[in-house]
Amino acid sequence: MIKANVMYPYTEGARFDHAYYRDKHMPMVKARLGNACAYYTVERGLAGRVPGSPPAFVAMCAFICESVEAYQAALHEHGAEIRGDLANYTDIVPVFQFSEVVVERSDG
Amino acid sequence: MIKANVMYPYTEGARFDHAYYRDKHMPMVKARLGNACAYYTVERGLAGRVPGSPPAFVAMCAFICESVEAYQAALHEHGAEIRGDLANYTDIVPVFQFSEVVVERSDG
C-alpha cells in the first residue's frame, strides 16, 4: 500500500482556503481516482515545535492507494482537471511524494 | 484531534534504519506517550513526483493525539529518552509540526 502525499509549504502572505480544500477539492480528486484510492486524509498545519511558530506546511493530504501505478494511471487521465482546480484554493506550489505505508495505524 | 508529525528530510548519504524505527523507536515513543496518543502512522519515502527522483522525506510518522497539550505534557516527561534514541537510527535532524486533523480518513 502506498501514500501519495501533497504538502503545501507555509509561505508568508500566501492564500489557502481550507474549507474549499476539504469540501470541494479533496472529494473531487477522490472521485476521479475512483478505485485506485482507498481513502484520504487531510490536515491543517498549526505550528512548529515551538508554540506560535509557523508550521512547515499549512496543509497536507495523503491518498492511500493500492500502488503507485494505479495512482499514476488515474492521474494521467484526470491530472489537468485536478491541477486546474488548484488556483481555486491556493497560490502555493505543493511538494509531492510517494511513500510506502509501513504502519497504517498502530492500533489497527 | 491533532497530529504531531515528525518528518526526516532526504539527505544524500544520510543514515536511516527503517527497521529500528518501526520495531524499536516508534513503539517506545508510543509507550511513553501513553493515553496522550491514540495511535501512530509510519511511512517510508519512495520518490518525488518523477519516478526515481528522491522523496522530500525519507521517513515520516504522525502521532494522533487528543490535544497539543497532552502530547507536550508527555514529551516534557520523556523527551530526553526519546531524543536520546535518535542516534540509534539516523543522523538526520527531523522537521516537526503540529496539525489539526481535518479528515481522519475519508471513509471513516
Side-chain angles (χ1 to χ4, degrees), chain A residues 5-52:
Chain A
N5 293 286
V6 190
M7 303 173 277
Y8 296 82
Y10 173 85
T11 314
E12 189 69 38
R15 177 171 63 85
F16 198 95
D17 183 339
H18 288 278
Y20 185 95
Y21 189 59
R22 178 193 63 215
D23 298 337
K24 304 283 185 185
H25 181 76
M26 291 296 296
M28 182 273 280
V29 177
K30 174 70 180 77
R32 297 301 175 271
L33 289 174
N35 291 336
C37 175
Y39 64 94
Y40 63 81
T41 64
V42 181
E43 61 191 272
R44 184 175 71 84
L46 292 174
R49 194 181 297 275
V50 177

Side-chain angles (χ1 to χ4, degrees), chain B residues 7-82:
Chain B
M7 302 174 278
Y8 296 83
Y10 173 85
T11 313
E12 189 69 36
R15 177 171 64 85
F16 198 95
D17 183 338
H18 289 277
Y20 186 94
Y21 189 60
R22 178 192 64 216
D23 298 337
K24 304 284 185 182
H25 181 76
M26 291 297 295
M28 182 271 282
V29 177
K30 174 68 180 78
R32 298 301 176 269
L33 290 173
N35 291 335
C37 174
Y39 64 93
Y40 63 81
T41 64
V42 181
E43 61 191 272
R44 184 175 72 85
L46 291 175
R49 194 179 298 277
V50 177
S53 65
F57 301 102
V58 291
M60 295 195 262
C61 77
F63 298 97
I64 289 77
C65 302
E66 192 56 49
S67 70
V68 170
E69 292 70 26
Y71 176 87
Q72 283 176 328
L75 251 286
H76 185 71
E77 199 175 342
H78 301 288
E81 179 183 2
I82 292 168

